[in-house]
Amino acid sequence: MKIDIVSVFPEYFEVLNLSLLGKAQEKGLVEVTAHNLRDWTHDVHHSVDDTPVGGGAGMVMKPEVWSECLDELLHLEPTTVTCDSTADADDTASADAAESAESATEIAANADTVPATDRPVLIFPNPSAPLFTQQDATELSHANHLLFGCGRYEGYDARIPQYYRAQGVDVREYSIGDYVLNGGEVAVSVMLEAITRLLPGFMGNAASIVEESYTGENALLEHRQYTKPADWRGIKVPDVLLSGDHAKVDRFRRDEALAKTNKLRPDLIEALDCSKLDKADRKTLMALGWEVSGAHPRQR
Ligand code: ADE
């Protein structure tokens, strides 16, 4: 996988040379290049931003600098497109992302069988965009080329994603949470880690990925984990985990995952597909106050 990152603070990404991502780069699984957006400026101040049209606080990143940079990295010739700039503001949520929401569900279900795609994906972190999820990470882990553009200040000119979408590029905008950061760099690091750890050969133990929270078609929060000793400072590991009875251990963990998800993320319970739940799952959910006779659980 080739990953380009464009930022006014490319040094920020030196951290990606550490840890597992550093090893993955050494192994040739990923090739990460951080570019300085200011390298595509022509003025003496290397300015990348300007005041917002229509007034308001802060500065907005200029489209001309971004387009010179992105055209070069995406091997595109500059052109003029016909776009309606008054189009639905939801457009920023990406037609591609909406389209891919469905395929992401399919992909999550067959994560290992999805072929890699040659179409580059251009990703802009943006606090006003849809939330980045494990499904997005799974889907993007099948791309051959990801290009991240880090905004700063009050953000970037809205025509940048609009233009590249009109050019046929798969453009995504994602928020990593309901809070505002100073720029996209942290958000890109988060997305990058979530995506690259799914690459075949990246993690030592692929099974650990399958069991994780948010993974799979019927995603739950993961059960609690313990290691030795069995009694630590008076707190004991649950007996059943020491029983050696794998079926009982699996059931205990599954019930714990259901109970934990019910308490912390009932929205994930509501999204479960009842036809994929076994008898014991249904019993546990009913005891937790859910009706499980329809397509999805409903709170009683
Ligand atoms: N840029 C600033 N805040 C952000 C957020 N929450 N997610 C993605 N990009 C951002």
Side-chain angles (χ1 to χ4, degrees):
M1 176 184 275
K2 181 170 155 55
I3 298 170
D4 287 301
I5 307 167
V6 181
S7 161
V8 286
F9 296 118
E11 314 79 32
Y12 178 90
F13 295 98
E14 278 165 22
V15 65
L16 300 180
N17 296 326
L18 304 173
S19 181
L20 280 178
L21 189 51
K23 287 215 178 78
Q25 289 191 73
E26 279 167 25
K27 281 197 256 174
L29 281 177
V30 276
E31 182 195 321
V32 186
T33 315
H35 308 268
N36 192 337
L37 180 65
R38 294 191 201 279
D39 290 348
W40 281 271
T41 57
H42 302 289
D43 63 314
V44 14
H45 300 294
H46 300 290
S47 50
V48 292
D49 57 342
D50 208 335
T51 52
V53 176
M59 300 290 270
V60 178
M61 293 186 113
K62 291 144 72 87
E64 303 97 319
V65 182
W66 272 103
S67 60
E68 285 203 30
C69 164
L70 296 176
D71 285 350
E72 185 176 327
L73 298 177
L74 291 166
H75 309 292
L76 293 173
E77 289 300 324
T79 181
T80 306
V81 294
T82 328
C83 271
D84 178 4
S85 56
T86 60
D88 205 340
D90 276 359
D91 185 41
T92 54
S94 157
D96 277 312
E99 186 188 289
S100 70
E102 258 174 49
S103 61
T105 317
E106 274 167 38
I107 285 164
N110 332 278
D112 293 335
T113 55
V114 174
T117 163
D118 280 331
R119 196 173 172 214
V121 187
L122 176 57
I123 302 163
F124 292 103
N126 182 338
S128 314
L131 278 182
F132 180 76
T133 66
Q134 187 66 31
Q135 276 192 357
D136 297 310
T138 305
E139 188 190 353
L140 292 168
S141 72
H142 296 284
N144 283 335
H145 184 193
L146 301 179
L147 206 172
F148 290 95
C150 302
R152 277 263 145 193
Y153 320 112
E154 288 305 305
Y156 44 85
D157 191 299
R159 290 168 295 178
I160 304 170
Q162 197 179 10
Y163 171 86
Y164 286 96
R165 236 169 244 144
Q167 289 275 69
V169 177
D170 182 351
V171 183
R172 315 285 180 92
E173 292 173 283
Y174 291 115
S175 166
I176 60 156
D178 293 342
Y179 38 76
V180 180
L181 305 165
N182 285 335
E185 284 76 7
V186 173
V188 166
S189 308
V190 168
M191 291 190 268
L192 210 56
E193 184 156 323
I195 296 165
T196 51
R197 65 193 293 283
L198 300 176
L199 293 175
F202 187 95
M203 299 275 282
N205 181 3
S208 63
I209 288 184
V210 176
E211 286 162 17
E212 277 169 353
S213 300
Y214 309 116
T215 302
E217 51 183 356
N218 258 5
L220 296 173
L221 300 185
E222 202 186 355
H223 57 79
R224 286 181 286 189
Q225 296 278 14
Y226 302 90
T227 184
K228 293 178 269 305
D231 183 340
W232 175 73
R233 296 193 172 180
I235 311 173
K236 292 189 174 61
V237 168
D239 285 344
V240 57
L241 298 179
L242 303 165
S243 69
D245 182 332
H246 295 303
K248 270 200 186 145
V249 168
D250 286 350
R251 191 64 249 164
F252 175 83
R253 287 178 164 166
R254 177 83 179 160
D255 285 344
E256 219 201 37
L258 287 165
K260 187 172 167 185
T261 311
N262 171 58
K263 190 165 171 207
L264 302 177
R265 292 290 306 275
D267 57 305
L268 293 178
I269 301 277
E270 276 166 10
L272 292 175
D273 177 349
C274 285
S275 70
K276 303 259 163 62
L277 300 172
D278 66 20
K279 224 168 140 190
D281 289 339
R282 287 160 191 268
K283 199 171 152 209
T284 304
L285 283 172
M286 278 157 64
L288 292 168
W290 294 87
E291 173 65 60
V292 288
S293 54
H296 302 284
R298 278 209 331 236
Q299 228 140 11
R300 274 204 307 271

PDB file of all heavy atoms in Angstrom, residues 134-149:
ATOM      1  N   GLN A 134     -14.695   1.449  12.071  1.00  0.00           N
ATOM      2  CA  GLN A 134     -13.914   0.242  11.769  1.00  0.00           C
ATOM      3  C   GLN A 134     -14.242  -0.269  10.365  1.00  0.00           C
ATOM      4  O   GLN A 134     -13.375  -0.774   9.670  1.00  0.00           O
ATOM      5  CB  GLN A 134     -14.215  -0.839  12.816  1.00  0.00           C
ATOM      6  CG  GLN A 134     -13.347  -2.084  12.715  1.00  0.00           C
ATOM      7  CD  GLN A 134     -11.882  -1.819  13.023  1.00  0.00           C
ATOM      8  OE1 GLN A 134     -11.543  -0.944  13.820  1.00  0.00           O
ATOM      9  NE2 GLN A 134     -10.996  -2.557  12.375  1.00  0.00           N
ATOM     10  N   GLN A 135     -15.488  -0.102   9.947  1.00  0.00           N
ATOM     11  CA  GLN A 135     -15.870  -0.524   8.584  1.00  0.00           C
ATOM     12  C   GLN A 135     -15.112   0.278   7.538  1.00  0.00           C
ATOM     13  O   GLN A 135     -14.685  -0.258   6.526  1.00  0.00           O
ATOM     14  CB  GLN A 135     -17.370  -0.296   8.360  1.00  0.00           C
ATOM     15  CG  GLN A 135     -18.208  -1.429   8.874  1.00  0.00           C
ATOM     16  CD  GLN A 135     -19.649  -1.326   8.395  1.00  0.00           C
ATOM     17  OE1 GLN A 135     -20.030  -0.369   7.720  1.00  0.00           O
ATOM     18  NE2 GLN A 135     -20.439  -2.307   8.750  1.00  0.00           N
ATOM     19  N   ASP A 136     -14.971   1.581   7.782  1.00  0.00           N
ATOM     20  CA  ASP A 136     -14.197   2.408   6.843  1.00  0.00           C
ATOM     21  C   ASP A 136     -12.744   1.937   6.818  1.00  0.00           C
ATOM     22  O   ASP A 136     -12.130   1.841   5.756  1.00  0.00           O
ATOM     23  CB  ASP A 136     -14.255   3.886   7.251  1.00  0.00           C
ATOM     24  CG  ASP A 136     -15.672   4.434   7.194  1.00  0.00           C
ATOM     25  OD1 ASP A 136     -16.327   4.237   6.165  1.00  0.00           O
ATOM     26  OD2 ASP A 136     -16.132   5.027   8.192  1.00  0.00           O
ATOM     27  N   ALA A 137     -12.203   1.649   8.006  1.00  0.00           N
ATOM     28  CA  ALA A 137     -10.807   1.189   8.071  1.00  0.00           C
ATOM     29  C   ALA A 137     -10.658  -0.108   7.287  1.00  0.00           C
ATOM     30  O   ALA A 137      -9.702  -0.271   6.508  1.00  0.00           O
ATOM     31  CB  ALA A 137     -10.385   0.982   9.530  1.00  0.00           C
ATOM     32  N   THR A 138     -11.602  -1.027   7.450  1.00  0.00           N
ATOM     33  CA  THR A 138     -11.537  -2.310   6.737  1.00  0.00           C
ATOM     34  C   THR A 138     -11.577  -2.076   5.244  1.00  0.00           C
ATOM     35  O   THR A 138     -10.769  -2.621   4.488  1.00  0.00           O
ATOM     36  CB  THR A 138     -12.726  -3.208   7.152  1.00  0.00           C
ATOM     37  OG1 THR A 138     -12.706  -3.339   8.566  1.00  0.00           O
ATOM     38  CG2 THR A 138     -12.640  -4.573   6.504  1.00  0.00           C
ATOM     39  N   GLU A 139     -12.500  -1.235   4.815  1.00  0.00           N
ATOM     40  CA  GLU A 139     -12.635  -0.989   3.389  1.00  0.00           C
ATOM     41  C   GLU A 139     -11.363  -0.348   2.825  1.00  0.00           C
ATOM     42  O   GLU A 139     -10.836  -0.765   1.802  1.00  0.00           O
ATOM     43  CB  GLU A 139     -13.834  -0.073   3.135  1.00  0.00           C
ATOM     44  CG  GLU A 139     -14.144   0.053   1.676  1.00  0.00           C
ATOM     45  CD  GLU A 139     -15.173   1.127   1.391  1.00  0.00           C
ATOM     46  OE1 GLU A 139     -15.746   1.675   2.358  1.00  0.00           O
ATOM     47  OE2 GLU A 139     -15.376   1.426   0.218  1.00  0.00           O
ATOM     48  N   LEU A 140     -10.846   0.657   3.530  1.00  0.00           N
ATOM     49  CA  LEU A 140      -9.678   1.376   3.021  1.00  0.00           C
ATOM     50  C   LEU A 140      -8.414   0.515   3.057  1.00  0.00           C
ATOM     51  O   LEU A 140      -7.464   0.774   2.321  1.00  0.00           O
ATOM     52  CB  LEU A 140      -9.482   2.676   3.808  1.00  0.00           C
ATOM     53  CG  LEU A 140     -10.589   3.714   3.550  1.00  0.00           C
ATOM     54  CD1 LEU A 140     -10.514   4.852   4.562  1.00  0.00           C
ATOM     55  CD2 LEU A 140     -10.495   4.267   2.127  1.00  0.00           C
ATOM     56  N   SER A 141      -8.409  -0.518   3.900  1.00  0.00           N
ATOM     57  CA  SER A 141      -7.221  -1.389   3.959  1.00  0.00           C
ATOM     58  C   SER A 141      -7.066  -2.186   2.659  1.00  0.00           C
ATOM     59  O   SER A 141      -6.044  -2.819   2.445  1.00  0.00           O
ATOM     60  CB  SER A 141      -7.285  -2.323   5.170  1.00  0.00           C
ATOM     61  OG  SER A 141      -8.258  -3.324   4.968  1.00  0.00           O
ATOM     62  N   HIS A 142      -8.073  -2.161   1.785  1.00  0.00           N
ATOM     63  CA  HIS A 142      -7.989  -2.868   0.505  1.00  0.00           C
ATOM     64  C   HIS A 142      -7.552  -1.964  -0.642  1.00  0.00           C
ATOM     65  O   HIS A 142      -7.449  -2.420  -1.778  1.00  0.00           O
ATOM     66  CB  HIS A 142      -9.331  -3.519   0.171  1.00  0.00           C
ATOM     67  CG  HIS A 142      -9.691  -4.578   1.161  1.00  0.00           C
ATOM     68  ND1 HIS A 142      -9.107  -5.823   1.162  1.00  0.00           N
ATOM     69  CD2 HIS A 142     -10.522  -4.562   2.214  1.00  0.00           C
ATOM     70  CE1 HIS A 142      -9.589  -6.529   2.163  1.00  0.00           C
ATOM     71  NE2 HIS A 142     -10.447  -5.779   2.825  1.00  0.00           N
ATOM     72  N   ALA A 143      -7.322  -0.674  -0.350  1.00  0.00           N
ATOM     73  CA  ALA A 143      -6.875   0.244  -1.414  1.00  0.00           C
ATOM     74  C   ALA A 143      -5.366   0.107  -1.599  1.00  0.00           C
ATOM     75  O   ALA A 143      -4.643  -0.216  -0.658  1.00  0.00           O
ATOM     76  CB  ALA A 143      -7.227   1.672  -1.039  1.00  0.00           C
ATOM     77  N   ASN A 144      -4.899   0.371  -2.810  1.00  0.00           N
ATOM     78  CA  ASN A 144      -3.450   0.331  -3.060  1.00  0.00           C
ATOM     79  C   ASN A 144      -2.779   1.668  -2.801  1.00  0.00           C
ATOM     80  O   ASN A 144      -1.580   1.734  -2.563  1.00  0.00           O
ATOM     81  CB  ASN A 144      -3.175  -0.078  -4.509  1.00  0.00           C
ATOM     82  CG  ASN A 144      -3.356  -1.557  -4.698  1.00  0.00           C
ATOM     83  OD1 ASN A 144      -3.225  -2.325  -3.740  1.00  0.00           O
ATOM     84  ND2 ASN A 144      -3.678  -1.966  -5.904  1.00  0.00           N
ATOM     85  N   HIS A 145      -3.582   2.747  -2.907  1.00  0.00           N
ATOM     86  CA  HIS A 145      -2.992   4.087  -2.745  1.00  0.00           C
ATOM     87  C   HIS A 145      -3.944   4.984  -1.957  1.00  0.00           C
ATOM     88  O   HIS A 145      -5.062   5.235  -2.400  1.00  0.00           O
ATOM     89  CB  HIS A 145      -2.704   4.693  -4.134  1.00  0.00           C
ATOM     90  CG  HIS A 145      -2.011   6.019  -4.071  1.00  0.00           C
ATOM     91  ND1 HIS A 145      -1.887   6.841  -5.160  1.00  0.00           N
ATOM     92  CD2 HIS A 145      -1.404   6.674  -3.043  1.00  0.00           C
ATOM     93  CE1 HIS A 145      -1.223   7.937  -4.816  1.00  0.00           C
ATOM     94  NE2 HIS A 145      -0.925   7.865  -3.532  1.00  0.00           N
ATOM     95  N   LEU A 146      -3.474   5.445  -0.802  1.00  0.00           N
ATOM     96  CA  LEU A 146      -4.253   6.403  -0.001  1.00  0.00           C
ATOM     97  C   LEU A 146      -3.508   7.721   0.013  1.00  0.00           C
ATOM     98  O   LEU A 146      -2.283   7.748   0.177  1.00  0.00           O
ATOM     99  CB  LEU A 146      -4.412   5.915   1.439  1.00  0.00           C
ATOM    100  CG  LEU A 146      -5.090   4.567   1.662  1.00  0.00           C
ATOM    101  CD1 LEU A 146      -5.129   4.242   3.155  1.00  0.00           C
ATOM    102  CD2 LEU A 146      -6.501   4.568   1.089  1.00  0.00           C
ATOM    103  N   LEU A 147      -4.240   8.810  -0.146  1.00  0.00           N
ATOM    104  CA  LEU A 147      -3.626  10.136  -0.090  1.00  0.00           C
ATOM    105  C   LEU A 147      -4.388  10.964   0.950  1.00  0.00           C
ATOM    106  O   LEU A 147      -5.595  11.200   0.784  1.00  0.00           O
ATOM    107  CB  LEU A 147      -3.736  10.769  -1.479  1.00  0.00           C
ATOM    108  CG  LEU A 147      -2.718  11.819  -1.885  1.00  0.00           C
ATOM    109  CD1 LEU A 147      -2.881  12.157  -3.345  1.00  0.00           C
ATOM    110  CD2 LEU A 147      -2.776  13.060  -1.040  1.00  0.00           C
ATOM    111  N   PHE A 148      -3.725  11.325   2.017  1.00  0.00           N
ATOM    112  CA  PHE A 148      -4.379  12.094   3.078  1.00  0.00           C
ATOM    113  C   PHE A 148      -3.997  13.570   2.963  1.00  0.00           C
ATOM    114  O   PHE A 148      -2.816  13.899   2.828  1.00  0.00           O
ATOM    115  CB  PHE A 148      -3.920  11.616   4.454  1.00  0.00           C
ATOM    116  CG  PHE A 148      -4.411  10.250   4.828  1.00  0.00           C
ATOM    117  CD1 PHE A 148      -3.634   9.131   4.597  1.00  0.00           C
ATOM    118  CD2 PHE A 148      -5.650  10.093   5.435  1.00  0.00           C
ATOM    119  CE1 PHE A 148      -4.088   7.865   4.956  1.00  0.00           C
ATOM    120  CE2 PHE A 148      -6.103   8.835   5.788  1.00  0.00           C
ATOM    121  CZ  PHE A 148      -5.324   7.724   5.552  1.00  0.00           C
ATOM    122  N   GLY A 149      -4.976  14.449   3.048  1.00  0.00           N
ATOM    123  CA  GLY A 149      -4.707  15.892   3.035  1.00  0.00           C
ATOM    124  C   GLY A 149      -5.074  16.487   4.384  1.00  0.00           C
ATOM    125  O   GLY A 149      -6.224  16.431   4.789  1.00  0.00           O
TER     126      GLY A 149
END
